[in-house]
Amino acid sequence: MTAGPADRPCEHCGAVFTSRRSDARYCGSPCRWAANRASRSVRTDKRTDKRTDKTPRLITADTAGPLTWDPVIEPRREYRTAEPCPGCGEPLRASPRGTWRACGPCKVLVVPPAVSAPYSAGQGAPQRHVVSQRDRDLAAIDLARRKGIMLAQLDQLAASGRLHAEAVPVLEWLAGEVRNATSGTRLDELAALAADPEAGIRPRHRWQSAAEITAGQDLGAGQAGDYDDQDYDDDQDDDLGDDDQADDPGPPAPRLAITAGQAPAPMTWAGALTANGWRLALAADGCQVLDGGQCGAETTLHIPGGWICGYHQAALAATITGR
Amino acid sequence: MNALPAATLDRALDRVATIWHPAGAPHNLIYGMSGAGKSTLIKALLGLCSCERVLILDPKPHPDPVWDGPDGDQLAWGRPVTEVSPVFGGERDGGGPAGLWYRLTGTPDRAATARRFAEALAVVAAEGHCVLVLDDVREITRQLRLAEAVDSALNLGRSAGVLAILSATETGYVAGRAQAAQAWVGHTSGLPAARAGAELLGWRGAARQDICANVAPHEWIFSEAESGSAGPVLVTAGRP
């Protein structure tokens, strides 16, 4: 193959150009592209050029027929909003894309209320919260934690052997739904469903009806599946009085206190008093805590039910916080 | 499918003017190599935004002359600013047809550029109601590490009236790629780039990749899926 500079006409536009290759046909890329497109849009006989069969054809508007866009739909124009003009009170009109406002009577452009809202003073001012990737990640972690807790409690219930045979597939279905849940709301729904007698999760024996699942809460305290003898006795006592109701459709379902991973309610001042074996008593003056005797020390804090001193405040606070 | 219907740019812009809205197809993604005509197409799309608040983020270290206005109207494509203040546009002190267009430019100090762009995106995220133009979105998301901020702003499309025009020379690391309801695939070089363009259009197969590979500069395959869509259309745009 020989090569060398030579002047020749472009096969597309006809202009004479100096080629550096002996097989050059076009004066430049634009002509080469144009000629290529033209050749593809006019070739119709597949047998004349097998390459045409393998080459995608870009059909022009003339050959492709009308677009389904046709007939032309009216473009978006400015539209009326419910936002009042700060000057005249008339409804503002939004720009076609909706980013700005205008008042027809006042003939002025107006800042959309939502644009200035984030800078409005006062607690009632609307604030837009942008969910960041970190927020989404934390929410996903929390969801995974809640699902893990619920699944562990469902597994524990299934392994306890105390469920009615018909309840086992229900439990398996619930576990599957928990695994597939994509939101905390769904977990709440499943927790409520599990506690619903209609769901059919019931124990094998009636006296086991008090079995409680606190799915979604910390299992470390042994709350779930805590079928101790005391529970048994209590339930048996309860059942003794229900013998005349033997025709009931069945024992109540075990109470599934599935709170979908939410933390247990914090201890209150009253709970802390009970935990310490104290109580409040009326006193003319001073701390009202009875801890074997009336405290009577100088009070520092009012809690629901009465006043307490600094010493008891610290002790109760330690009980509440677990320290 | 080896054939595409064709339309002129004016006809395609008519279609965009119909569907481009926060409640419809809020975001445009323009993909093509340097010289494919991305900035020209952005300007054509901005022609539909004469009364809109527009913020152009140009991350290049030096001002791009493509955004310079003609003599006598230097602010035709937005007022160059170094930072975006809250409620920008309220004083109509920007450029463009209604004084509502602003252009935040980059500097050689990339850290400062990243900080200023992040602040601007935060303003947009807080206020909404803006046409956000990200010229070279990959530079903004990858080099300036602002992918999360861009995503947050784009997520507000429907709820807060944020519309976007994203231009990219590559599809990797492009935030908002999956959110673009309107895709424009232009001239590229090399089969991998054509394949990436086909994927943006939801296409598979060598034949369709070849279609993308054959798009000439200032031509676009425009695709959207709003009501009445014609499917992908070859848009012929004239040189400015």
Side-chain angles (χ1 to χ4, degrees), chain B residues 2-53:
Chain B
N2 287 341
L4 288 182
T8 63
L9 179 61
D10 287 344
R11 184 68 188 83
L13 290 176
D14 285 344
R15 173 66 180 170
V16 174
T18 302
I19 64 173
W20 193 20
H21 190 265
H27 305 320
N28 282 271
L29 175 58
I30 302 170
Y31 169 60
M33 64 182 287
S34 183
K38 296 190 298 296
S39 298
T40 306
L41 181 58
I42 290 174
K43 289 179 176 178
L45 291 170
L46 287 179
L48 304 174
C49 303
S50 57
C51 295
E52 313 292 341
R53 184 166 72 150

Side-chain angles (χ1 to χ4, degrees), chain B:
Chain B
M1 183 187 69
N2 287 341
L4 288 182
T8 63
L9 179 61
D10 287 344
R11 184 68 188 83
L13 290 176
D14 285 344
R15 173 66 180 170
V16 174
T18 302
I19 64 173
W20 193 20
H21 190 265
H27 305 320
N28 282 271
L29 175 58
I30 302 170
Y31 169 60
M33 64 182 287
S34 183
K38 296 190 298 296
S39 298
T40 306
L41 181 58
I42 290 174
K43 289 179 176 178
L45 291 170
L46 287 179
L48 304 174
C49 303
S50 57
C51 295
E52 313 292 341
R53 184 166 72 150
V54 174
L55 177 61
I56 300 166
L57 300 187
D58 180 11
K60 296 181 180 68
H62 304 285
D64 190 341
V66 75
W67 292 111
D68 290 344
D71 290 341
D73 189 9
Q74 285 296 311
L75 306 182
W77 299 110
R79 174 181 290 279
V81 294
T82 55
E83 62 181 17
V84 173
S85 57
V87 199
F88 65 99
E91 303 296 328
R92 295 186 60 192
D93 55 353
L100 292 172
W101 293 8
Y102 300 83
R103 181 155 43 91
L104 186 62
T105 54
T107 63
D109 185 346
R110 306 311 281 160
T113 300
R115 179 184 53 76
R116 291 188 293 110
F117 277 38
E119 291 171 354
L121 289 168
V123 170
V124 171
E127 299 179 2
H129 295 79
C130 180
V131 177
L132 194 59
V133 180
L134 305 182
D135 194 7
D136 197 347
V137 64
R138 183 175 173 272
E139 171 84 9
I140 295 172
T141 58
R142 191 179 184 193
Q143 267 72 30
L144 301 184
R145 301 178 187 277
L146 295 176
E148 190 173 304
V150 170
D151 266 340
S152 293
L154 298 187
N155 282 340
L156 294 170
R158 182 179 294 268
S159 62
V162 174
L163 304 101
I165 302 172
L166 317 172
S167 81
T169 53
E170 294 181 33
T171 58
Y173 303 97
V174 173
R177 181 177 46 182
Q179 298 202 57
Q182 302 178 66
W184 302 78
V185 173
H187 178 63
T188 54
S189 177
L191 192 55
R195 185 182 301 125
E199 288 174 355
L200 272 183
L201 298 168
W203 284 355
R204 299 173 65 181
R208 291 171 171 178
Q209 291 168 16
D210 286 349
I211 292 179
C212 291
N214 281 322
V215 176
H218 294 270
E219 283 187 352
W220 302 95
I221 298 174
F222 171 56
S223 178
E224 43 84 19
E226 291 298 296
S227 176
S229 168
V233 172
L234 179 67
V235 176
T236 306
R239 287 180 182 275

Side-chain angles (χ1 to χ4, degrees), chain A residues 148-188:
Chain A
I149 294 173
M150 289 184 70
L151 287 170
Q153 295 196 312
L154 288 169
D155 287 346
Q156 194 167 358
L157 179 62
S160 69
R162 294 172 182 252
L163 280 182
H164 193 280
E166 294 177 357
V168 174
V170 178
L171 218 56
E172 292 173 353
W173 176 85
L174 262 179
E177 289 297 303
V178 169
R179 286 190 193 92
N180 295 330
T182 56
S183 70
T185 306
R186 179 60 179 155
L187 292 184
D188 292 337

Side-chain angles (χ1 to χ4, degrees), chain A residues 57 59 95 97 99 119 128, chain B residues 2 4 20 52 126-127 230:
Chain A
R57 290 166 294 148
I59 295 182
S95 56
R97 313 285 153 242
T99 65
Y119 313 106
R128 181 178 295 121
Chain B
N2 287 341
L4 288 182
W20 193 20
E52 313 292 341
E127 299 179 2

